[in-house]
Amino acid sequence: MESEQLAPEQVERSAAPREFELRSGDYAAVVTAHAAALRKLTFQGRDLVVPFAEGGPIPDYRGIIAAPWPNRLADGRYTYDRATHLVPLSEPERGCALHGFAFTREWSLVRADERSVTLALELGGPDSDGEPGYPFAVRLEARYALDGEASPEAGGLTWEVRAVNAGSEAAPYGVCPHPYLVAGESPLDEWVFELPADTYLEVTPDRLLPVGERPVAGHAFDFRAPRPLGATQIDHAFTGIAFEDDGTARVLLRDPARGTGVGMAWDRECPWIQVHTADKLPPAPNRLGLAVEPMTCPPDAFTSGTDVIRLEPGAEHTASWRLFAFDS
């Protein structure tokens, strides 16, 4: 794939290809222009994330970027700087707006080569297609880069989202990725999960909205020491994350029967992480992968204000995550 560099004023008018194939060493990835989503990621031919079909809809938000807020916003309503805003309910059965707007849009090509691609999107503001209830001009750039030469401690897929406030007023902002990780060919119940978080967010059973923070100690959600997922059903956010000396934290997911594993690493920009065991009622395919979503803020943060990033005019914010394979 030839490298391409566009001037900033050209980005909005550039018609990106439908998807981009990346390769480095034993890693391969496919990124779509629609939603700037990670459609596929493999290592030595085995899936590290649950893929989705080329050219079709994106099931279960697989591989999307959730912005300008992650997770749920109750009733599609929030107040910011004393102004109240209403956004459409994308999850009407729970009365929530889910995962922001970025996943509904076509992103424009900034640059690409055989190992990386950068895509851009304008949210809000007078020059965008318009997002009802989000009148803030925020420019997003998503960069995917493969490094198949480095060790598992440094290689794999680095996934970065940079946000810049291009408007004249402060903007509320949050972001997370939405991959469903795959440890191996064994059923999810047999995978061994390790999550360095000592607190989970209890939610209402009907709308999955926050109730309060609870310790994982003595609870089925305590995965600080690695153990099998078993039949545990999870669709919760976690915090109290134990970051290592280098400022990063890691989730590890192993398939002991196959000797394979997948990990995800992130830094302190994401003090929250959503985990979901992808439980489905028949006939839908059940527990295909484990959604692991490091978040800058918790569910319904635009309502609570908890850890919402305040992007002042001209300010920027960058969050990044790394996916990697390892032998378990």
Side-chain angles (χ1 to χ4, degrees), residues 57-326:
I58 301 177
D60 305 318
Y61 304 95
R62 293 179 197 169
I64 69 155
I65 293 165
W69 69 86
N71 213 279
R72 289 170 177 81
L73 173 59
D75 304 315
R77 177 189 299 269
Y78 67 100
T79 299
Y80 192 71
D81 285 351
R82 298 182 296 279
T84 298
H85 305 280
L86 291 172
V87 301
L89 300 182
S90 53
E91 192 184 38
E93 66 275 17
R94 291 191 172 116
C96 292
L98 193 58
H99 296 323
F101 302 108
F103 72 89
T104 68
R105 301 279 298 279
E106 298 295 320
W107 292 53
S108 299
L109 175 64
V110 179
R111 65 184 68 87
D113 58 39
E114 67 177 10
R115 295 189 177 195
S116 68
V117 63
T118 301
L119 301 170
L121 176 66
E122 305 287 344
L123 284 178
D127 297 326
S128 77
D129 292 339
E131 281 75 39
Y134 192 79
F136 310 100
V138 175
R139 174 184 172 83
L140 301 178
E141 282 195 359
R143 182 174 186 267
Y144 293 84
L146 282 179
D147 185 349
E149 308 307 322
S151 67
E153 288 72 27
L157 176 73
T158 298
W159 186 351
E160 179 182 282
V161 178
R162 175 173 171 260
V164 178
N165 186 341
S168 59
E169 57 183 309
Y173 175 72
V175 65
C176 83
H178 204 294
Y180 287 79
L181 304 189
V182 177
E185 296 180 358
S186 300
L188 181 145
D189 292 21
E190 298 177 13
W191 298 349
V192 172
F193 183 42
E194 183 177 349
L195 171 65
D198 66 16
T199 303
Y200 77 95
L201 189 65
E202 183 182 354
V203 294
T204 59
D206 52 350
R207 302 180 68 192
L208 302 184
L209 294 176
V211 172
E213 296 179 24
R214 306 287 185 259
V216 300
H219 193 279
F221 292 168
D222 189 352
F223 289 94
R224 291 174 293 177
R227 62 184 179 86
L229 282 162
T232 305
Q233 296 187 0
I234 311 171
D235 195 359
H236 294 73
F238 294 77
T239 191
I241 295 167
F243 289 91
E244 299 173 6
D245 291 343
D246 64 356
T248 64
R250 296 190 306 169
V251 157
L252 299 176
L253 194 62
R254 300 175 173 89
D255 181 351
R258 305 288 179 169
T260 56
V262 60
M264 189 170 194
W266 70 99
D267 63 22
R268 297 181 189 275
E269 292 297 331
C270 293
W272 296 84
I273 184 166
Q274 183 82 12
V275 176
H276 179 33
T277 45
D279 304 281
K280 298 287 185 180
L281 294 174
N286 188 39
R287 295 167 75 88
L288 290 180
L290 186 72
V292 176
E293 311 160 44
M295 304 184 294
T296 57
C297 55
D300 205 26
F302 275 21
T303 299
S304 67
T306 303
D307 292 331
V308 173
I309 295 162
R310 183 178 179 88
L311 273 182
E312 298 289 349
E316 64 179 68
H317 176 272
T318 299
S320 63
W321 315 275
R322 185 170 62 85
L323 294 169
F324 56 92
F326 65 93

